[in-house]
Amino acid sequence: MELKEITCIVCPLGCRIQVEMEGGEIKTVKGYSCSRGLEYAKNEVTMPKRTITTSVRAIGGHLPLLSVRTKEPVPKEKIQEIMLELAKVEVKAPVKIGDVVVKNILGTGVDIIATRNLYVK
């Protein structure tokens, strides 16, 4: 039996959750205060995901960089590969908040979207 302890980040309570696993399967989950914490713990021990926030180069805009993020969380093990791919991206002004900058990044099914407006110089 393997015991994993995690701190829930879904809400400000920061519950300490204990997950007992056996053979890669969840046996028990204890210490959560809400159903969102239970779901977070299950996902965190089986397939952790994160939202990426970063910036990409901007061409012809009032700023040299455009802030972007993943529209949804991506598998944690893909973060470095996604960041390397985003380092190659250049966007042309104008761009509006919510515009898709990269569709389906690395086949994850998740888009990269703009988090601010980029105006033409």
Side-chain angles (χ1 to χ4, degrees), residues 55-109:
S55 55
V56 295
R57 282 185 224 113
I59 299 170
H62 72 289
L63 298 169
L65 299 172
L66 174 68
S67 60
V68 297
R69 70 171 176 86
T70 52
K71 191 170 184 179
E72 301 165 23
V74 293
K76 192 174 174 181
E77 70 270 5
K78 290 270 192 189
I79 292 174
Q80 185 174 12
E81 192 178 354
I82 289 170
M83 291 298 289
L84 290 172
E85 190 66 22
L86 290 174
K88 303 173 195 173
V89 172
E90 292 182 337
V91 295
K92 292 180 183 174
V95 179
K96 293 181 184 170
I97 293 173
D99 282 357
V100 174
V101 173
V102 179
K103 189 160 185 64
N104 188 22
I105 187 87
L106 296 178
T108 60

Side-chain angles (χ1 to χ4, degrees), residues 5-11 14-17 19 26 29 32 34-50 73 76:
E5 288 197 37
I6 60 173
T7 301
C8 183
I9 59 171
V10 176
C11 77
C15 296
R16 295 287 301 155
I17 302 174
V19 181
I26 296 172
V29 182
Y32 59 92
C34 65
S35 60
R36 293 185 317 162
L38 173 61
E39 196 60 34
Y40 171 78
K42 287 178 180 179
N43 289 335
E44 187 64 14
V45 298
T46 58
M47 186 177 191
K49 293 183 176 186
R50 299 290 185 270
K76 192 174 174 181

